[in-house]
Amino acid sequence: MESKWPNTIRRRILFTGFTLCVVLVTRPTSAIEIHADPEVIVQNGTTGILRCTFKSSEVVSSVTTVTWYFQSSHPDSQFYKSPYVIFYFTSGRGFPGPEEFKDRVQFIGDINKRDVSIQLSPTYFSDNGTFFCDVKNPPDVKGTQARTELRVVLKESYSQNNTTFIVAGVCGALLVLVLIAVAACIVMRVLHNRHDYEGCTSLESVNSQAPQPRKKVESRVEGSRSTSPSGPLQGPVIYAQLDHSGSKNSFHKMEPVVYADIRKN
């Protein structure tokens, strides 16, 4: 594929590569850590932010470089076979890549703060694919490129995704409230049953002690009745019961029956 970079940019890249080689020879190298968002979802025609940061033990200088690559997920795209440089940053300046990204890629990071993020505006469906972020901060040049999967979707799909997240959040909050209400009802019922049990226990103790004075009163009343003068006591009354069954010995069968008649005044 024919290179679309201007001659000045190509010479600058070659010079930076030569400088890196000189630094690598003169100083020991260390690893650099690069981090980026794993996935970014944007609506078609809007601005997509591709964030990338790095950690280095060395001070950022003019030889620090940032390179963004893109590999399309569409088989019919020219960027499908291998990653293609779409943005290059060095010496405080950014250099856009091919025409497809030249007017849409903008550097929005701060390299002194280890932020090398870019934005892509506007986004197209042809931007679906993988973006790679690579940083070299000599002598920290060894490190794994960070990658971000960009998904450009329709407005309706983006709205449905947001609605799904909102509905899921509301359902989760309602479920938590229901669980709290159920737990509160259980605690109140347990406390109420315990209160009723204590009330019954105290009531039974009072009832068990209450009849004692009443028995004393009744015994006193009975004693007063028995000691009070009320006339002569009448003894038992004896009645005779005849047998009318018609047998011969019926006349001689008489069984006395005693009916006790205790009369009290």
Side-chain angles (χ1 to χ4, degrees):
M1 180 182 297
E2 183 179 357
S3 177
K4 297 181 180 180
W5 292 93
N7 293 331
T8 55
I9 297 178
R10 289 201 299 269
R11 286 196 297 267
R12 184 179 294 274
I13 294 175
L14 293 175
F15 175 76
T16 302
F18 176 76
T19 305
L20 291 176
C21 293
V22 173
V23 173
L24 291 177
V25 172
T26 57
R27 300 183 60 182
T29 61
S30 58
I32 184 172
E33 298 180 9
I34 308 173
H35 304 278
D37 296 331
E39 183 181 39
V40 174
I41 302 176
V42 296
Q43 180 182 343
N44 182 37
T46 62
T47 300
I49 304 297
L50 304 178
R51 303 190 182 279
C52 182
T53 59
F54 68 95
K55 293 182 180 180
S56 175
S57 59
E58 297 294 326
V59 178
V60 176
S61 63
S62 60
V63 296
T64 304
T65 62
V66 180
T67 308
W68 277 89
Y69 302 87
F70 171 67
Q71 185 173 7
S72 176
S73 59
H74 299 284
D76 56 348
S77 174
Q78 60 175 336
F79 308 110
Y80 177 73
K81 293 183 179 181
S82 62
Y84 199 92
V85 178
I86 62 170
F87 183 80
Y88 182 76
F89 182 92
T90 185
S91 301
R93 295 182 58 188
F95 302 92
E99 294 295 332
E100 289 81 1
F101 295 93
K102 182 178 181 180
D103 297 330
R104 297 191 297 132
V105 176
Q106 182 180 356
F107 186 78
I108 60 173
D110 187 347
I111 196 169
N112 293 320
K113 296 181 179 180
R114 273 62 170 179
D115 185 0
V116 292
S117 304
I118 62 173
Q119 75 174 16
L120 188 62
S121 180
T123 55
Y124 303 139
F125 292 115
S126 59
D127 297 329
N128 280 288
T130 306
F131 289 79
F132 300 89
C133 176
D134 188 23
V135 182
K136 305 295 183 185
N137 186 35
D140 293 348
V141 295
K142 293 182 179 180
T144 304
Q145 297 177 352
R147 52 188 299 168
T148 299
E149 296 291 335
L150 180 64
R151 292 177 54 193
V152 182
V153 298
L154 291 172
K155 182 178 180 180
E156 291 77 7
S157 301
Y158 189 77
S159 301
Q160 289 178 0
N161 292 334
N162 290 339
T163 303
T164 302
F165 293 144
I166 294 174
V167 171
V170 172
C171 291
L174 291 177
L175 181 60
V176 171
L177 293 177
V178 170
L179 293 177
I180 294 175
V182 171
C185 291
I186 293 175
V187 172
M188 292 178 63
R189 180 172 298 179
V190 170
L191 295 177
H192 182 70
N193 293 338
R194 182 180 299 175
H195 178 72
D196 292 344
Y197 178 76
E198 293 176 354
C200 293
T201 304
S202 59
L203 183 60
E204 289 176 357
S205 61
V206 172
N207 292 336
S208 62
Q209 296 176 0
Q212 294 179 0
R214 188 178 301 173
K215 289 182 180 181
K216 293 181 180 180
V217 173
E218 290 179 356
S219 62
R220 292 176 182 176
V221 173
E222 290 178 356
S224 62
R225 288 181 180 178
S226 61
T227 55
S228 62
S230 59
L233 296 176
Q234 186 175 359
V237 180
I238 301 175
Y239 297 91
Q241 183 178 4
L242 300 179
D243 186 5
H244 300 283
S245 60
S247 61
K248 294 180 180 181
N249 300 325
S250 62
F251 182 77
H252 299 284
K253 291 182 178 179
M254 291 187 300
E255 297 178 358
V257 178
V258 179
Y259 292 89
D261 186 9
I262 299 175
R263 301 180 181 178
K264 296 181 180 180
N265 293 329

